Amino acid sequence: MTKQAEAAKGDSIHRGNPVTVDRYTAAARLNHWITAISLVLLALSGLALFHPSLYFLTGLFGGGALTRMIHPFIGVVLLLSFIGLFLRFWKLNLWERTDSVWLGRLRDVLTKNDEKLPEVGKYNAGQKLVFWSMSLLIVLLVASGVVIWQQFFSEYFKVEQQRVAVLIHSILAIVMICVWIVHVYAAIWVRGTIGAMTRGRVTGGWAWRHHRRWLRELVSGKSKVGPKEVTPAE
């Protein structure tokens, strides 16, 4: 596979102590948080409808009937928001040979033995797997959700099809929640990641440690800051 660009629009380096690197624009951050909030609301409302023991969660949405009504509309918001994220970042998440090497050294990843890992672009293999998993799951969840959205589509599908769609939708939702948990845990585990999505910036040391190839491209192609200025520890 040919080498892909590792920087996105708006990525840049700023001199200072420490050196800082713009990682996400305000628009990208807003897009991300709309998607994240939609996912949380869908998980809570979906779980409330999933089992009687979780029905108390409908209280967050004004009761059972209202929960059932707004759940699919939140799904529409999620779809539209994630389309924005997908268009922004899909090229940066294309799989490369170094990603397979990174996965093969997962023990070094978990022990934070970074010097034994290949240099990573803007996203590592784990982040790419989450991105493509969510992309596929959202498409399938929306497709199955349309089948069981009785308010608008009940006349187009048989009862048997709706029953199968409910089962598929429930299984996919559980998988999605698990992927989301992994995503959040990884963001907390790698210190500085959440700050990148709230403030939009990371330190040069953070970029050097976790996404060195991305930083090299910025240094060589988009900034006058020298490599020695962006290689300190976090």
Side-chain angles (χ1 to χ4, degrees):
M1 182 179 294
T2 57
K3 184 181 182 299
Q4 65 201 57
E6 293 298 346
K9 182 179 179 180
D11 294 354
S12 59
I13 302 177
H14 303 276
R15 292 180 181 273
N17 187 21
V19 171
T20 58
V21 187
D22 290 334
R23 186 163 172 83
Y24 294 111
T25 63
R29 300 198 305 276
L30 178 62
N31 197 171
H32 170 271
W33 288 114
I34 291 174
T35 303
I37 292 170
S38 298
L39 274 172
V40 172
L41 293 176
L42 281 169
L44 291 173
S45 57
L47 288 171
L49 300 170
F50 179 72
H51 194 273
S53 64
L54 299 172
Y55 187 76
F56 70 93
L57 292 173
T58 60
L60 299 172
F61 303 92
L66 194 56
T67 301
R68 181 67 184 88
M69 184 182 72
I70 67 175
H71 179 80
F73 285 104
I74 300 173
V76 173
V77 174
L78 171 67
L79 175 63
L80 296 176
S81 181
F82 191 80
I83 288 174
L85 284 181
F86 186 87
L87 294 177
R88 289 176 188 276
F89 299 126
W90 73 270
K91 287 184 179 179
L92 297 171
N93 282 277
L94 293 175
W95 198 260
E96 298 181 288
R97 183 183 60 81
T98 52
D99 294 320
S100 299
V101 176
W102 190 92
L103 277 183
R105 299 176 183 175
L106 195 57
R107 177 175 295 182
D108 292 319
V109 175
L110 296 176
T111 57
K112 298 186 177 183
N113 194 0
D114 302 302
E115 295 306 316
K116 291 188 177 181
L117 300 173
E119 292 192 357
V120 172
K122 185 159 185 175
Y123 298 109
N124 60 43
Q127 292 170 312
K128 291 180 179 181
L129 286 175
V130 168
F131 177 86
W132 291 111
S133 296
M134 285 195 168
S135 299
L136 178 61
L137 286 166
I138 288 174
V139 170
L140 295 176
L141 280 165
V142 169
S144 58
V146 166
V147 177
I148 59 178
W149 196 351
Q150 295 184 349
Q151 183 179 359
F152 296 111
F153 302 104
S154 60
E155 61 183 286
Y156 300 105
F157 302 99
K158 298 178 180 179
V159 173
E160 292 77 11
Q161 293 173 321
Q162 293 176 358
R163 288 173 177 170
V164 172
V166 167
L167 177 61
I168 293 174
H169 194 78
S170 300
I171 294 172
L172 292 174
I174 293 172
V175 175
M176 172 64 89
I177 291 173
C178 291
V179 172
W180 178 83
I181 290 172
V182 170
H183 176 60
V184 172
Y185 178 79
I188 296 172
W189 186 60
V190 180
R191 185 167 57 91
T193 300
I194 294 179
M197 194 49 78
T198 55
R199 297 186 299 272
R201 290 185 173 185
V202 296
T203 65
W206 185 95
W208 176 260
R209 178 177 180 181
H210 300 294
H211 299 274
R212 191 168 301 181
R213 198 171 79 196
W214 170 62
L215 183 63
R216 286 186 188 278
E217 179 175 303
L218 291 176
V219 170
S220 62
K222 297 186 178 181
S223 172
K224 295 181 180 179
V225 178
K228 292 183 180 180
E229 296 181 67
V230 292
T231 58
E234 286 183 88

